[in-house]
Amino acid sequence: MRFTSETVGLIACLLLAGNQNNNNAVQGFSLGGANNIISSQTTPTSKLNTNAKTLRSSTRIAAAAAVEAVNGSKEETSTPPEIRLNVPEKARTVSSVCTSGTLCTSSYMEDIEGAPFGSFVDYVLDDEGNPVLLMNEMSMHTVNIQKAGPGSPVTLFAQLGGPTSTSGPAQGQDVSRCSITGTIEKIESTVEDWDALRMRYGIAHSYADQVMDSPKFHFYRLMPTKIYFVGGFGVSSEWVPPQEYREATPDILAKEASSITSRLNRDHGDDLMMTATEILDVAEVEKVRVTGVDRLGMDLRVTRRMPRRKNKLLTDEFRLGFRIPVISVEDAKSEVLKVFQEAWEKKNGITWGDGEVPGADIPVIKTAEDNLM
């Protein structure tokens, strides 16, 4: 008989509600407190179906037929679309989470004429994902734009973890980032979304109400012609068609992803190690770190020792998908806890009576591997 994941979760909670004082017990998990922190409890071994042979069984990867090519390989694959956000969604998520960035214009100053000139600017997005900036007409980047004339390209660069990003503190190059190149034009007060843009900008930037009515400040809209997305240090980078970017939806967990990631790395090191060894089937694991979480799953960076050279460390990237897309932070916590629970069950040889290995149907793909052997 095969149970749904929801039924399995309910049965797990019932089975793991054992007597903590029983001497013949194994370690279990439960949700503890308002923050859903995993806490320890014990369950009598007599209530568990333990199978030693299962302990030696390797995890069956449900997405095995969809293993993604790694390190830039051109090999044709058929990755399930539900496991990872597509690149336009990732780019739109970065530009939506960030509210500031670097605006690159072409300098008109003597001796550096034509050189790229970077300025820190604040922005919001309109309904189509176009950046909207409130700029002083005397600012150097504004003067550069006026001197360059209509149709001259500019680039807005934004990355997660920036000074006004809601994604949390910066982590160097190991963060997603997006460059939006296009033409910029002044927004007239007669446009249909004028009031909406003013309100949106005022909410995102508290100082704006004091200056947006000044005759020296004007709103400008950047119309993308090229968009470049980078997923982090040494991982995917890709050009995004502007139309696909406009039609993409930002990830629902975008503003909370950093706090979820930080909590997992801070509080659940043992659970992550167990996930790497039992669900990902990685041996000689030295360190596991969550690098990202979204509505479709989470990304894990696993450092392991080389089999024949113990002093050599190798690092691989994995995508561990949720069985169903989540629609809230609480749903995401629940899905992560299910993964930890099934990793523990597999380690302890627990089955549900049909011989299936816990975690066997969790979709997993390797997204990058250390090939410097």
Side-chain angles (χ1 to χ4, degrees):
M1 181 176 181
R2 184 177 179 83
F3 297 102
T4 64
S5 59
E6 291 79 6
T7 304
V8 169
L10 176 59
I11 296 175
C13 291
L14 293 175
L15 286 177
L16 294 171
N19 184 353
Q20 294 189 15
N21 296 322
N22 190 292
N23 293 326
N24 296 319
V26 293
Q27 192 76 3
F29 297 136
S30 67
L31 299 183
N35 292 327
N36 282 351
I37 301 298
I38 289 181
S39 61
S40 298
Q41 66 180 26
T42 55
T43 301
T45 52
S46 60
K47 293 187 178 182
L48 303 176
N49 177 15
T50 304
N51 186 337
K53 183 177 180 180
T54 303
L55 284 172
R56 297 189 296 271
S57 300
S58 61
T59 302
R60 175 176 58 84
I61 303 302
V67 175
E68 185 178 70
V70 297
N71 295 334
S73 170
K74 299 300 182 180
E75 179 182 345
E76 292 295 327
T77 60
S78 55
T79 304
E82 292 81 10
I83 294 179
R84 308 181 70 189
L85 299 177
N86 60 44
V87 176
E89 287 176 321
K90 293 178 181 179
R92 185 70 181 266
T93 296
V94 172
S95 63
S96 298
V97 171
C98 298
T99 56
S100 66
T102 301
L103 181 66
C104 299
T105 57
S106 180
S107 177
Y108 80 97
M109 291 297 295
E110 187 178 355
D111 296 332
I112 60 168
E113 185 174 358
F117 183 86
S119 304
F120 180 84
V121 294
D122 292 327
Y123 73 92
V124 295
L125 298 183
D126 64 16
D127 290 339
E128 293 188 346
N130 303 313
V132 173
L133 303 85
L134 179 62
M135 301 191 299
N136 189 325
E137 62 184 23
M138 300 177 64
S139 297
M140 185 59 67
H141 49 268
T142 308
V143 176
N144 286 340
I145 292 171
Q146 293 171 342
K147 293 286 187 180
S152 298
V154 300
T155 295
L156 177 65
F157 172 82
Q159 77 171 26
L160 298 181
T164 60
S165 168
T166 57
S167 66
Q171 301 174 11
Q173 296 186 64
D174 193 19
V175 291
S176 297
R177 44 199 180 271
C178 184
S179 297
I180 301 176
T181 300
T183 57
I184 193 166
E185 56 188 32
K186 185 177 178 181
I187 303 176
E188 301 296 336
S189 59
T190 55
V191 297
E192 184 177 350
D193 58 350
W194 175 256
D195 292 334
L197 293 178
R198 284 173 55 92
M199 181 177 65
R200 192 172 299 175
Y201 204 97
I203 293 173
H205 306 289
S206 57
Y207 67 85
D209 290 336
Q210 304 174 33
V211 299
M212 67 172 60
D213 290 322
S214 168
K216 294 185 178 181
F217 283 80
H218 306 282
F219 282 103
Y220 291 81
R221 194 187 320 254
L222 174 57
M223 304 299 294
T225 55
K226 292 286 186 180
I227 300 168
Y228 190 65
F229 171 81
V230 179
F233 181 73
V235 294
S236 62
S237 58
E238 188 172 327
W239 289 100
V240 180
Q243 186 60 34
E244 293 184 15
Y245 165 83
R246 295 188 187 97
E247 295 173 352
T249 302
D251 183 64
I252 195 169
L253 296 182
K255 294 184 178 181
E256 303 293 337
S258 179
S259 62
I260 297 174
T261 300
S262 297
R263 176 173 293 179
L264 288 172
N265 289 326
R266 183 186 68 237
D267 300 335
H268 300 297
D270 291 342
D271 300 315
L272 291 171
M273 290 287 285
M274 201 180 313
T275 299
T277 57
E278 303 300 331
I279 304 299
L280 303 181
D281 251 358
V282 180
E284 302 285 347
V285 177
E286 285 289 312
K287 183 179 179 180
V288 184
R289 189 165 71 88
V290 179
T291 59
V293 178
D294 56 60
R295 70 177 186 273
L296 301 181
M298 60 181 175
D299 298 303
L300 300 179
R301 176 168 295 164
V302 181
T303 301
R304 57 188 171 88
R305 289 198 175 276
M306 191 173 176
R308 294 177 299 277
R309 295 170 56 190
K310 299 299 183 181
N311 62 337
K312 171 70 174 178
L313 296 179
L314 302 175
T315 299
D316 298 326
E317 304 273 350
F318 293 87
R319 175 66 173 181
L320 195 153
F322 299 144
R323 290 187 175 93
I324 57 173
V326 301
I327 59 174
S328 68
V329 173
E330 292 304 314
D331 284 350
K333 291 179 181 178
S334 177
E335 288 299 313
V336 172
L337 289 171
K338 287 178 184 177
V339 172
F340 292 164
Q341 173 68 37
E342 294 187 43
W344 178 86
E345 290 171 2
K346 185 188 176 190
K347 181 178 180 180
N348 288 277
I350 300 169
T351 66
W352 296 103
D354 58 1
E356 183 176 350
V357 179
D361 62 343
I362 297 176
V364 176
I365 56 177
K366 179 183 286 188
T367 57
E369 64 182 4
D370 192 335
N371 59 5
L372 301 177
M373 303 293 286

